[in-house]
Amino acid sequence: MAIDYWDPPFTFGEAIVAAMGGMSVFDPDHEVAFRFPAGWMLMLMLVAYIPLSYPYRDLMGYGREVLVASGSRWSWWLSKCLWVTLVALLGCALLVVACAIVSLLWGGEPSLLVPDGFLECAGLGSELAGPYDLRPFVLVFPLMVVAVCLLQLALSLALGPTLAFASTSVVLLASAYLFHPLLPGEYLMIARLDLSIPNGMSLRSGASYALVIAAASVLVGGLHFSRMDCIDKELSI
């Protein structure tokens, strides 16, 4: 956020851009350099990593006794989906609170309106005039993060936590390198949204897509878990 040629104090919205701006669309045909969004990816990987191993470790340990006592695999599975959802939302909340604190320390205002010109100063290309209202992004962002974490949870049953986390990392990397509406990471980068570029990703479509991913992950993961041999699964990972 040390931009010498940006005079006003950083507002809450500008701190969100600095954290979750991502990168402009990569265009190899125009010889545009690929600027890897390291901070963006590391933050999302951290949020995804926190709820990664507990459900699987619980299943391979004390959770198996709870599962037998309850007599319902779906109850155990839905409780773990709820736990992952709450932890993912907590991670998003901590990120938002951190941005708010940084903004207040910088002397900024608690506004989610980003003035025209700030995206360019932050190194993010913007072809549409501001100001940019980030309120829809702040609402859709946690939905997509929860969807990604639930998808990772479902994959961890079939692949194990390590490969599931690797799959999440690959999806985020592909989202940065490519520009496709089926990649969840596109909706987590402000620089890829229709508020900053023409034909950008719609947050309304992103919210619907996040709900589809979350519902499919819970359903397919639950169906797989209801038929899974937990003892053989432990020996094979």
Side-chain angles (χ1 to χ4, degrees), residues 24-45:
S24 302
V25 178
F26 176 55
D27 188 0
D29 295 334
H30 292 79
E31 297 181 354
V32 177
F34 178 71
R35 187 177 61 86
F36 181 68
W40 171 85
M41 186 163 180
L42 287 175
M43 280 187 293
L44 290 177
M45 289 177 63

Side-chain angles (χ1 to χ4, degrees), residues 81-98:
C81 289
L82 177 60
W83 182 86
V84 167
T85 297
L86 294 176
V87 172
L89 290 175
L90 177 61
C92 294
L94 289 175
L95 176 59
V96 171
V97 169

